[in-house]
Amino acid sequence: MDVKKIAKLAHLEITEEEVALYTPQMANIVAYVEQLNELDTSSVEPMLGGLTKEGELTETRRADVPHESLGQEKALDQAPSAVAGHFQVPKVL
Amino acid sequence: MSEIKSNIKKSLDNAEKLNETLNSFLKIEREYALNRAEELEKSSDESPLKGFAIAVKDNICTKFSQTSCGSRILGNYRPQYNATAVDKLLKAGAVIVGKTNMDEFAMGSSNENSAFGTAKNPWDTTRVPGGSSGGSAVAVASGVVRAALGSETGGSVRQPASFCGIVGLKPTYGRISRFGLVAFASSLDQIGIFGQTSKDAAEVLQTVAGRDANDSTTAAVEVPNYADEIGKDIKGKRIGVPRALFGEGLDNEVRNAVEQSIENYRSLGAEIIDIDLPNSKYSIAVYYIIATAEASSNLARFDGVRYGFRAENAHRLREMYMKTREEGFGAEVKRRIMLGTYVLSSGYYDAYYAKAQKVRTLLKQDFLNAFDRCDAVLTPTAPSVAFKIGEKTDDPLAMYLSDIYTVSANLAGIPGISVPCGLSSEGLPIGLQLVGKHWSEAVLLNLANAYESQFPLGAKARFSVAG
């Protein structure tokens, strides 16, 4: 398992020490979950999401009526860096 | 001083005093709670939970307090809105006294993954309180509050309830709104309830249950009057026991206590029948694929842009994301994000995630088959009593296996409850678990109440409120 590559996909800048720690631990967990291969599931439908039958039958649509939004000030209130009504981030490129 | 205010003051004093030893609260809101008590005192409304002190896990949004999820990446983040469950509690007159300690982002079974130090078990402070909702369990077990909110993805309310000698309820998927509960694994997450007794848990459930337009996973299923069910005779109730799960890995003292509880139920008139849950042995494997996959997606939002912590000294955007997440998340959260990323990655999706979803169908079917023959299924809540702090931190898989009896209910979406059923030779609490068919919380609460009224634990945590 290429933990460095996985970390990059997950946007985690992990250290060499962490690679050494996580590699055997994750390999161990993956080996454990592979016991599912014992089961023949070729004729089983997957369970998608967690809804009960009643949950699936519940009407979740609502009238398309605008309601008050959070507003710029509140939306930016917890930002680590905000300037002139925007979130501020380092250069993209 | 008025009665409500003096009760709340007592709760706050106890919280502050015990927190030095137990670390169950990440934030105690003294001024807020006292002001609220004063307001309630002035109001003539006779709301059902008026003046009822309650603690809330720190992954449930409160605009009057922090919501850290036990993580450095959120720190003292303050939400812009209350969770629906919080609003409902407040509307019913409850007083939230503080936010409780937890494993970071609810990932853990011991509370040791909190970025702010582990909460301690009030029965023996060298031991874990369980997790991930450890702080809420401790707040109830130590007598600071009568009830608390936690959250459940794989047993995070029932397992700490078992370790701390109190009642812990995980409701049906869709019973309580998750609006304002910080998401971990969305097909599994539910808000759960701790109570000193099942009646306390029922009172809180009554208040927070029901459909919420802000959470499309809540179901339009009528909320029964739970108090009406509690106290009914349990004679003739059928309790299924899956003996095959009482084998390997189960601590002897726990087995004996749970066997005794089965006999106790029989003596109360319940009919005990043997059942089989043939796919239960796969539950941990299914869980750690589905939960990590969903977590890797849900936790992508923590990137240092809109809220919380941002790493310094990053000169490019991607570098800022990567450093923020590296420094902001703890080891277990990173491990799970990476596992989830791996099982969802190109070329592996069908082998892991799609496979797990199919086995999840089989697990759920096992329960539905069992419930054709019985009203509830009884097992231990956890395979052992509370373990020592540090005992399992080096072995993530061993830690995961402490959820072996609880994760199936989350996978099947069914309700479950943990009830104290005995003490080990070292005086540590043991819990029995009952799970039932979808929407059968009333049945479980009644069975739990019957047990605790006839077979009370008869002991209190060493560190708890006197009197």
Side-chain angles (χ1 to χ4, degrees):
Chain A
M1 191 187 304
D2 186 349
V3 169
K4 262 189 204 168
K5 184 184 157 201
I6 299 166
K8 208 170 162 191
L9 288 172
H11 279 179
L12 292 165
E13 190 186 271
I14 60 171
T15 62
E16 287 301 326
E17 292 79 49
E18 286 181 290
V19 174
L21 174 73
Y22 295 142
T23 302
Q25 287 176 338
M26 287 171 60
N28 198 16
I29 296 163
V30 168
Y32 178 83
V33 304
E34 280 175 353
Q35 64 175 292
L36 298 186
N37 294 332
E38 296 166 19
L39 285 167
D40 177 7
T41 51
S42 50
S43 59
V44 181
E45 287 298 312
M47 181 171 166
L48 306 173
L51 290 182
T52 60
K53 196 165 70 238
E54 295 77 9
E56 280 170 3
L57 293 171
T58 296
E59 176 60 78
T60 54
R61 290 173 302 177
R62 55 176 165 75
D64 187 16
V65 183
H67 56 90
E68 208 185 329
S69 68
L70 196 55
Q72 197 180 43
E73 195 183 319
K74 275 188 166 178
L76 293 170
D77 177 61
Q78 296 284 312
S81 179
V83 174
H86 296 275
F87 293 106
Q88 188 182 39
V89 295
K91 273 188 263 187
V92 176
L93 290 170
Chain B
M1 202 186 309
S2 70
E3 194 192 331
I4 292 179
K5 199 170 175 190
S6 90
N7 282 342
I8 295 301
K9 187 177 174 300
K10 208 189 298 170
S11 178
L12 291 162
D13 290 347
N14 290 329
E16 282 169 3
K17 188 163 141 263
L18 287 164
N19 219 38
E20 293 167 21
T21 313
L22 302 174
N23 199 28
S24 59
F25 284 91
L26 294 177
K27 187 86 171 100
I28 297 166
E29 293 289 354
R30 173 176 284 273
E31 199 187 325
Y32 161 82
L34 289 176
N35 284 338
R36 188 160 154 76
E38 211 154 286
E39 276 170 34
L40 284 166
E41 200 66 52
K42 285 182 207 146
S43 133
S44 55
D45 280 5
E46 279 311 316
S47 35
L49 296 182
K50 191 169 180 179
F52 193 119
I54 202 159
V56 173
K57 187 177 182 180
D58 209 22
N59 61 348
I60 299 174
C61 286
T62 45
K63 62 181 176 189
F64 51 85
S65 187
Q66 65 168 41
T67 298
S68 73
C69 291
S71 181
R72 244 167 72 73
I73 212 161
L74 276 170
N76 53 8
Y77 167 70
R78 190 171 276 255
Q80 304 289 1
Y81 58 89
N82 285 333
T84 299
V86 166
D87 269 338
K88 285 184 164 182
L89 286 173
L90 296 179
K91 198 163 166 249
V95 179
I96 293 168
V97 295
K99 301 298 292 290
T100 57
N101 205 348
M102 58 183 283
D103 284 298
E104 185 176 8
F105 286 104
M107 297 180 187
S109 311
S110 70
N111 222 269
E112 293 165 291
N113 297 332
S114 167
F116 308 107
T118 180
K120 310 280 170 57
N121 192 308
W123 295 77
D124 174 353
T125 53
T126 67
R127 291 175 188 269
V128 303
S132 66
S133 316
S136 285
V138 175
V140 173
S142 62
V144 170
V145 288
R146 251 167 63 202
L149 294 186
S151 70
E152 268 252 6
T153 306
S156 284
V157 167
R158 286 163 289 157
Q159 185 254 28
S162 169
F163 282 10
C164 291
I166 56 173
V167 170
L169 173 73
K170 178 251 167 214
T172 307
Y173 189 83
R175 182 76 293 180
I176 300 178
S177 169
R178 303 180 298 175
F179 181 68
L181 168 68
V182 179
F184 159 13
S186 305
S187 78
L188 302 163
D189 295 342
Q190 263 303 284
I191 285 178
I193 301 163
F194 294 98
Q196 292 188 353
T197 65
S198 49
K199 278 187 178 155
D200 298 327
E203 270 186 85
V204 174
L205 179 65
Q206 196 72 53
T207 301
V208 298
R211 167 88 186 131
D212 174 17
N214 282 331
D215 175 1
S216 62
T217 64
T218 51
V221 173
E222 199 190 333
V223 179
N225 189 339
Y226 296 106
D228 287 350
E229 284 301 312
I230 289 184
K232 280 192 182 162
D233 197 345
I234 69 158
K235 201 161 285 171
K237 286 279 175 205
R238 291 161 307 160
I239 296 179
V241 179
R243 295 268 171 204
L245 304 183
F246 285 51
E248 197 191 344
L250 177 60
D251 181 273
N252 264 331
E253 285 197 294
V254 175
R255 179 185 295 113
N256 293 341
V258 173
E259 291 286 0
Q260 183 58 51
S261 76
I262 294 168
E263 289 317 308
N264 291 345
Y265 266 118
R266 205 193 295 274
S267 76
L268 296 177
E271 187 187 333
I272 307 296
I273 61 170
D274 283 329
I275 57 143
D276 194 18
L277 300 168
N279 295 295
S280 265
K281 60 182 171 188
Y282 300 111
S283 60
I284 294 281
V286 173
Y287 177 80
Y288 277 93
I289 293 171
I290 289 178
T292 60
E294 295 183 9
S296 74
S297 167
N298 274 327
L299 272 65
R301 72 191 61 170
F302 301 101
D303 58 6
V305 175
R306 288 156 298 164
Y307 33 68
F309 167 79
R310 175 186 291 186
E312 288 171 11
N313 303 320
H315 305 292
R316 291 288 186 275
L317 182 62
R318 189 179 160 85
E319 184 193 0
M320 188 280 281
Y321 292 155
M322 295 191 62
K323 284 197 155 78
T324 295
R325 290 163 62 80
E326 168 64 10
E327 293 169 31
F329 289 135
E332 180 61 21
V333 173
K334 285 190 239 181
R335 203 155 34 226
R336 294 203 198 184
I337 288 174
M338 288 193 290
L339 275 167
T341 304
Y342 176 69
V343 300
L344 290 177
S345 63
S346 169
Y348 294 103
Y349 179 89
D350 284 330
Y352 295 110
Y353 193 67
K355 181 82 183 182
Q357 286 179 311
K358 289 180 174 182
V359 183
R360 187 174 179 183
T361 299
L362 298 176
L363 275 162
K364 181 174 157 186
Q365 198 53 50
D366 279 358
F367 278 106
L368 297 183
N369 294 344
F371 293 136
D372 284 342
R373 299 177 50 222
C374 61
D375 301 294
V377 169
L378 189 151
T379 63
T381 306
S384 72
V385 293
F387 45 89
K388 292 267 189 189
I389 292 170
E391 192 179 319
K392 296 186 190 215
T393 40
D394 293 335
D395 187 351
L397 190 56
M399 188 75 91
Y400 296 174
L401 291 172
S402 62
D403 298 333
I404 186 107
Y405 292 109
T406 47
V407 295
S408 309
N410 301 76
L411 290 165
I414 56 177
I417 194 165
S418 179
V419 188
C421 73
L423 295 172
S424 72
S425 52
E426 291 177 290
L428 296 165
I430 297 168
L432 70 87
Q433 169 179 249
L434 294 160
V435 300
K437 59 186 88 165
H438 294 133
W439 318 108
S440 70
E441 286 83 358
V443 174
L444 299 184
L445 286 161
N446 185 36
L447 285 169
N449 172 261
Y451 198 89
E452 70 196 5
S453 19
Q454 293 305 311
F455 304 98
L457 201 52
K460 274 173 83 174
R462 183 164 161 244
F463 288 92
S464 61
V465 174

